[in-house]
Amino acid sequence: MSSPSKRREMDLMKLMMSDYKVEMMNDGMQEFYVEFNGPKDSPYHGGMWRIRVELPDAYPYKSPSIGFVNKIYHPNVDEMSGSVCLDVINQTWSPMFDLVNVFEVFLPQLLLYPNPSDPLNGEAAALMMRDRTAYEEKVKEYREKYAKPEDVAGAEEVKSSDEELSEDEYAASDDEEIAGKPDL
């Protein structure tokens, strides 16, 4: 059996040679983004999402961590963080699977067959169980609003502007401290 680092490298190369656009986050091979299209025969069809993938040190013996960068309306995806319910991948994960399986099997299955009884997005789960048509309309609304190709390209820019805001907040807190001293 090959070492986990060789396996990680091999799986990543296989994913890059497939039809998926892969963008590395840094020099290592443990964090990267993948462009993912919604599966046919689902309300997600026609949408494109930027997926953040983190490979644990123990990959392929431990499953990768998967998260949606741009918003998606789904019972098993946290609307704010984009985290995918870990049970979905962890329950069935085996070292026999690779990264291509995540994008050709796991994520399409997740979008085609949501599990509202184990939600990360309680509102989506409740709507899906109460009114499937209204749920699918909301999915399509999110797809149109957040999952166009330009949204995938801009998903990283949103992150960098958040970082700028936090720097501004930091600078503002310094100004407040300085402004507060004369009152003492």
Side-chain angles (χ1 to χ4, degrees), residues 168-178:
D168 290 344
E169 289 169 3
Y170 177 76
S173 70
D174 287 347
D175 293 341
E176 289 168 8
E177 286 176 18
I178 292 167

Side-chain angles (χ1 to χ4, degrees), residues 11-173:
D11 283 4
L12 191 53
M13 292 312 245
K14 184 177 175 186
L15 184 65
M16 290 172 138
M17 291 168 43
S18 68
D19 291 336
Y20 299 99
K21 182 179 176 192
V22 179
E23 181 187 333
M24 303 309 293
M25 287 179 66
N26 49 41
D27 293 338
M29 294 188 146
Q30 288 188 264
E31 295 180 71
F32 50 92
Y33 295 109
V34 178
E35 284 184 11
F36 174 73
N37 294 301
K40 291 182 173 133
D41 302 324
S42 81
Y44 300 96
H45 180 68
M48 179 185 286
W49 286 269
R50 184 176 172 97
I51 308 295
R52 181 184 173 130
V53 181
E54 292 182 50
L55 301 179
D57 290 336
Y59 178 86
Y61 304 104
K62 280 189 76 179
S63 66
S65 175
I66 306 292
F68 286 81
V69 176
N70 46 330
K71 284 190 174 191
I72 185 168
Y73 193 75
H74 190 283
N76 308 114
V77 179
D78 183 270
E79 188 175 1
M80 297 309 291
S81 71
S83 298
V84 173
C85 185
L86 293 177
D87 290 346
V88 173
I89 294 176
N90 286 344
Q91 284 177 351
T92 54
W93 186 258
S94 154
M96 291 175 21
F97 296 125
D98 62 21
L99 294 171
V100 172
N101 292 119
V102 170
F103 293 95
E104 289 186 356
V105 179
F106 288 110
L107 284 178
Q109 292 292 316
L110 177 72
L111 298 187
L112 286 165
Y113 308 106
N115 179 3
S117 61
D118 185 22
L120 282 177
N121 181 337
E123 179 196 317
L127 184 59
M128 182 185 174
M129 291 192 293
R130 191 176 61 246
D131 185 347
R132 184 70 184 227
T133 304
Y135 164 77
E136 290 185 2
E137 286 304 312
K138 186 100 173 190
V139 166
K140 290 173 186 174
E141 180 185 315
Y142 269 58
R143 183 193 70 210
E144 290 301 313
K145 194 171 184 180
Y146 303 110
K148 295 184 292 297
E150 58 269 23
D151 297 321
V152 171
E156 191 174 60
E157 293 170 22
V158 169
K159 241 184 187 175
S160 65
S161 68
D162 285 348
E163 289 168 11
E164 290 169 15
L165 284 175
S166 64
E167 289 171 14
D168 290 344
E169 289 169 3
Y170 177 76
S173 70

